[in-house]
Amino acid sequence: MTHVIDGNAVAESIRDDLTACVDALRDEGTTPKLATVLMSEDAASATYVSMKQRDCEAVGIEAIDVEIDPDAPADELYGTIDDLNADPEVHGILVQMPVPDHVDTRKVLRDVDPAKDVDGFHPANVGRLVAGDPRFKPCTPHGVQRLLADADVDPEGKDVAIVGRSDIVGKPLANLLIQKEADGNATVTICHSRTADLAAKTRAADIVIAAAGVPEMVDGSMLTEGVVVIDVGVNRVDADSEKGYELVGDVEYDSAAEKASAITPVPGGVGPMTRAMLLYNTVKAASERADVAIDLP
Ligand code: NDP
């Protein structure tokens, strides 16, 4: 029997625990506050931001949304970040990516106060993660790590193939899974578009994590019997549906599920966990700022 890993259920349980954490912080006079910054007309980006706002409200985190005209000078975004950094009421800052071409993305990542960098993308926080002393684990990799733990899949001693080497998924996830600590200790192969014989790498793996952004590129023929499959991909493909599209992962679900001992669906796998771990980081940022110890889930 293939175990279908239910990201919605795991995320809900984390959100419930975070609600109790927020209550505890409020009792101590601190209400966690997240600022989202949107400088884009992209409909998907706007949707992501509004979902994050709603998630915050559901657990009692205060959320403010700063919208900047995509044609405004880059300095307007840089100035907004400075203001949010200086605001003692704001515990977390999330600049929705991508930003327009005339904005220096690396400067944006560098400018956010590392103590408010709830995405975990500031170079100082990336460095801490690599060094095994993470402050904020990036949300998607952290969510994947939690899903494995919930499914009782211990990465220790396992061969893991990650398809994708992006700064937001592949690289930080590899760094998390190789750490010499609980939920780590894996042997990780990071694959990308120049990898020779990708199928040989995925077939040799006990755990395959697909984060390439290519619809259904990993199929059952690329997997070994009993493999654990985590599908990070979210791709819109044309479909005869009301919206005109449907969401599919980077894994061809049916053929992969035939081989897998456990697998995440799309939607309902990694996506909800990414959102839950943003809330986690925001609550963590608030508790550290307020110097109030809480039991994070
Ligand atoms: P990027 O486009 O930044 O990176 C994709 C990576 O996949 C690159 O390293 C690329 O290689 C590699 N790749 C692309 N094609 C192939 C191929 N044919 N064979 C092997 N490797 C390949 O994507 P992201 O990391 O941002 O996102 C990946 C996917 O995850 C997307 O579908 C995205 O929507 C989804 N996502 C989902 C989230 C969630 O919460 N569920 C959160 C974040 C992302 P190279 O470096 O050589 O170009």
Side-chain angles (χ1 to χ4, degrees):
M1 272 289 280
T2 306
H3 171 55
V4 180
I5 301 172
D6 185 348
N8 282 319
V10 183
E12 189 180 343
S13 144
I14 290 173
R15 278 197 304 272
D16 285 348
D17 291 344
L18 287 174
T19 304
C21 292
V22 172
D23 289 345
L25 281 171
R26 207 181 281 118
D27 289 347
E28 298 289 335
T30 293
T31 300
K33 187 167 177 176
L34 174 72
T36 57
V37 183
L38 177 65
M39 188 177 188
S40 169
E41 266 165 5
D42 176 50
S45 291
T47 304
Y48 290 141
V49 167
S50 65
M51 287 190 319
K52 288 165 188 172
Q53 297 266 329
R54 273 206 313 273
D55 289 345
C56 283
E57 283 156 25
V59 299
I61 294 173
E62 205 179 309
I64 55 166
D65 177 25
V66 183
E67 290 190 15
I68 299 174
D69 185 333
D71 295 325
D75 279 344
E76 202 167 315
L77 176 56
Y78 306 148
T80 298
I81 294 171
D82 289 344
D83 292 345
L84 294 170
N85 282 340
D87 185 341
E89 305 270 295
V90 171
H91 303 104
I93 301 170
L94 181 145
V95 181
Q96 183 65 42
M97 296 292 169
V99 287
D101 289 345
H102 65 282
V103 174
D104 180 348
T105 302
R106 287 190 188 279
K107 176 173 165 54
V108 170
L109 299 181
R110 277 197 313 269
D111 280 3
V112 172
D113 179 346
K116 300 187 180 190
D117 168 40
V118 286
D119 261 337
F121 296 157
H122 188 284
N125 288 329
V126 175
R128 284 185 60 162
L129 182 80
V130 174
D133 175 32
R135 172 167 24 203
F136 299 117
K137 294 182 181 179
C139 304
T140 302
H142 193 188
V144 169
Q145 199 178 33
R146 290 299 185 95
L147 283 180
L148 290 172
D150 186 79
D152 285 330
V153 178
D154 185 351
E156 178 165 336
K158 303 277 192 327
D159 289 319
V160 179
I162 300 176
V163 188
R165 58 174 164 185
S166 73
D167 292 338
I168 63 167
V169 187
K171 279 188 213 163
L173 182 54
N175 273 303
L176 275 182
L177 295 179
I178 60 166
Q179 294 302 328
K180 197 170 184 175
E181 58 178 42
D183 300 328
N185 288 312
T187 303
V188 177
T189 302
I190 307 175
C191 309
H192 45 76
S193 66
R194 315 292 165 89
T195 295
D197 199 354
L198 176 67
K201 308 285 187 291
T202 53
R203 258 184 234 122
D206 306 301
I207 302 172
V208 171
I209 304 171
V214 181
E216 301 182 323
M217 66 168 287
V218 175
D219 65 22
S221 73
M222 299 169 68
L223 302 168
T224 193
E225 201 71 45
V227 65
V228 173
V229 179
I230 305 290
D231 190 352
V232 179
V234 180
N235 308 289
R236 278 187 185 193
V237 295
D238 292 341
D240 194 13
S241 66
E242 199 178 310
K243 288 180 177 164
Y245 67 86
E246 64 175 359
L247 294 182
V248 298
D250 289 351
V251 174
E252 191 186 74
Y253 185 86
D254 290 343
S255 64
E258 277 178 24
K259 291 278 185 71
S261 57
I263 187 167
T264 58
V266 175
V270 175
M273 292 300 290
T274 297
R275 292 166 59 183
M277 300 332 284
L278 174 67
L279 305 177
Y280 177 100
N281 280 348
T282 305
V283 173
K284 184 171 194 281
S287 80
E288 285 175 5
R289 169 115 200 162
D291 202 15
V292 173
I294 49 167
D295 276 334
L296 281 162

